[in-house]
Amino acid sequence: MALKVLSALDVAKTQYYHFKAIIIAGMGLFTDSYDLFCIPLVMRMIGRIYYPKVDKTVDPKKWFEVPTVIASTMFCVALMGAVIGQLFFGQLGDRVGRRRVYGVSLIMMVVGSIGCGLSLSSLTSMVFVSLGFFRFLLGMGIGGDYPLSATIMAEFANKRTRGAFIAGVFSMQGFGILLSSLVSMIVCSIFEASANKHNLEKPSKFAPLVSIVPVPPESDLAWRLILMIGAIPASMTYYWRMKMPETARFTALVENNALQAAKDIGKVMHVPLSTIQEDVEVINTPNTRAALSNTYPFFSREFLRRHGRDLIAASINWLLIDIVFYSLNLFQYHAFRGLMKSKININLYQDAMQIAKYQALIAICATIPGYIVTVYMIDHVGRVKIQAAGFFFMAISLFTIAKVNKGDWGSNQGPVFIILYGLTFFFSNFGPNTTTFIVPAELFPARFRVTCHGISGAVGKLGAIIGLIGFIFASREQPKGIEASHTLMSMGGVCVLGFFVTYFFTRETMGRSLEENENVNELTGVWFVRFWPHKVWDKRNEVNTGERMSLY
């Protein structure tokens, strides 16, 4: 018999509060994906507004582009903020409680989103300085939200459907992607309809006559509005975050106040207090002793022996998937470039809308279905199998894309190429992009859970930075860049490595309580792979037991 309050959570029926918690916890992920997928088209609009010069000595495809260094900085500064946010809020969440810092990360996201639409000056340099600062702040808030949301959902959920609930939180990313595309198209359509028609002429008409192509002056407001709208969904959940009680596992296992944990759970779930209030006597079970007596410090030799392998595996898996996933996001524009109109033949609103249209198409056909299938299958198939299969099929898709690639960056690739690209997105979400968020929230003791999730996520965001910078420089025009097929083959190789790390080093967490997951077999230490050591030992124990029984 384990702590009654934790046992009640593990076997609790799915209730209204579980779905409410998914929405409340998922808004940070929603804001993250909203920002990630609207920033490419925002940078496209900024290029038209702040770099309007016509240089007849270069290819028209390079007109109106934000310099590569600035563009990559704007993409990466939010990720650097996320790295710091995950590490900082991870430790804070384990020290003072999940709930106490949950609202702080949300406020940072809201302020960052609104601030991205503001600037300290009309000077181009100051616009980028302001945008970079607030994107960094936004990234810190998003980074803090990752480990807190995953841990809160894991600690409220029952063990039977815990994976589906955490996946449901993460699936809010898919709807953030879709909303960012829809908002961008709506805002651009409204501004285009109200603009002076003279300023909406296509650049190719002005190019022979002028050195600077005019744009509607109100277009400088359009991209700011797109970014600021991302703050609305997050701000709507602030009140409910502040009303959430502290998780029972933090209160009972970290603060050692099981009675308060029982009272808090009784407020939000339909479980009678009498059934979850602790007995007077100390409950003496292996799982409870493991949870209550683990007094070793973080990153000590004992911690590394018990949990080092899990932390390393979770971090590496997240690093590898983010290298590929964030590269795929930037690759989206290149995948559809052959179907898009040239930017010199359309106005800036039409240019942004066509990018948003294809982003919405991928979200509807590949991204959201991948999340939905994961929510349905995660507690039936298991985390490890889904993650390994996702890496495997992503690798197959990327290798195939590299083979059917019909040219370099920006050439018309055809329907087979686009279908395979969509499948890569599907298997990233029905696979490691989701499971790397889930597993770290289930493996570690309550007093280290947010910290370890934050470390895993921070390493993942470093992978995202590697992927973004690498892709930006790889996709440059030859001879400076790298051929598209070689880049795709490299991404496939990263997925193969992820498959092996998952297969040999990642532990399954399905169907067990969080306390059972932390009470690991003593043989599964940091340097042991997942399969053979403990299986060999278990087999030996079975043989020895059988021999002893035969003596009787």
Side-chain angles (χ1 to χ4, degrees), residues 439-452:
V439 171
E442 300 179 309
L443 281 175
F444 304 101
R447 59 201 181 89
F448 302 138
R449 189 167 290 137
V450 189
T451 300
C452 291

Side-chain angles (χ1 to χ4, degrees), residues 23 36 50 81 98 168 225 229 236 263 283 293 311 366 394 404 422 448 468 476 496 529:
I23 302 300
L36 172 65
Y50 291 98
R98 290 76 160 115
L225 190 60
I229 288 175
M236 290 172 63
K263 290 179 179 179
I283 299 170
S293 65
L311 182 58
M394 285 178 69
V404 303
F448 302 138
L468 284 173
R476 292 179 298 173
V496 171
V529 296

Side-chain angles (χ1 to χ4, degrees), residues 152-311:
I152 286 171
M153 195 69 249
E155 293 183 343
F156 271 121
N158 62 62
K159 63 182 180 181
R160 184 175 57 85
T161 58
R162 184 178 62 237
F165 287 142
I166 306 174
V169 170
F170 196 72
S171 70
M172 297 300 290
Q173 278 199 338
F175 298 99
I177 294 168
L178 182 59
L179 184 67
S180 72
S181 300
L182 295 176
V183 167
S184 300
M185 288 188 285
I186 292 171
V187 170
C188 288
S189 297
I190 293 173
F191 274 78
E192 183 184 27
S194 60
N196 187 316
K197 301 305 179 184
H198 173 74
N199 292 328
L200 290 177
E201 293 288 351
K202 55 188 179 181
S204 57
K205 180 178 179 179
F206 288 102
L209 306 174
V210 299
S211 58
I212 296 179
V213 175
V215 295
E218 64 274 11
S219 61
D220 195 39
L221 177 62
W223 67 266
R224 299 171 188 271
L225 190 60
I226 291 171
L227 290 175
M228 288 191 289
I229 288 175
I232 296 175
S235 61
M236 290 172 63
T237 62
Y238 179 78
Y239 171 79
W240 296 110
R241 284 199 179 191
M242 294 298 95
K243 295 289 288 184
M244 291 180 75
E246 183 56 80
T247 67
R249 283 184 161 89
F250 180 83
T251 305
L253 301 179
V254 181
E255 295 184 331
N256 296 321
N257 190 346
L259 179 59
Q260 184 60 47
K263 290 179 179 179
D264 288 341
I265 291 303
K267 294 176 183 177
V268 295
M269 292 187 180
H270 300 296
V271 182
L273 182 61
S274 59
T275 66
I276 59 179
Q277 213 167 351
E278 294 306 313
D279 294 333
V280 176
E281 65 271 16
V282 177
I283 299 170
N284 189 26
T285 66
N287 288 337
T288 304
R289 287 200 308 270
L292 296 178
S293 65
N294 285 342
T295 57
Y296 52 87
F298 179 66
F299 234 67
S300 62
R301 177 178 293 184
E302 182 66 12
F303 172 86
L304 292 176
R305 186 183 69 82
R306 289 171 177 260
H307 308 292
R309 185 206 61 183
D310 292 331
L311 182 58

Side-chain angles (χ1 to χ4, degrees), residues 72-93:
S72 58
T73 301
M74 291 299 105
F75 281 115
C76 293
V77 70
L79 296 174
M80 283 303 303
V83 170
I84 295 173
Q86 285 172 317
L87 296 175
F88 175 74
F89 283 102
Q91 287 214 3
L92 207 58

Side-chain angles (χ1 to χ4, degrees), residues 403-432:
K403 290 296 183 182
V404 303
N405 182 52
K406 296 180 180 178
D408 216 331
W409 306 105
S411 55
N412 193 346
Q413 303 295 346
V416 175
F417 185 98
I418 294 173
I419 291 172
L420 288 169
Y421 174 75
L423 285 174
T424 308
F425 249 105
F426 174 82
F427 283 111
S428 69
N429 295 310
F430 177 43

Side-chain angles (χ1 to χ4, degrees), residues 5 10 31 93 113 125 140 157 161 190 208 251 256 270 292 294 387 402 435 440 461 466 472 523 539:
V5 64
D10 286 334
T31 302
S113 294
S125 59
M140 280 195 67
T161 58
I190 293 173
T251 305
N256 296 321
H270 300 296
L292 296 178
N294 285 342
Q387 184 166 300
T435 53
K461 286 296 179 280
I466 294 170
I472 287 173
L523 289 178
K539 185 68 175 178

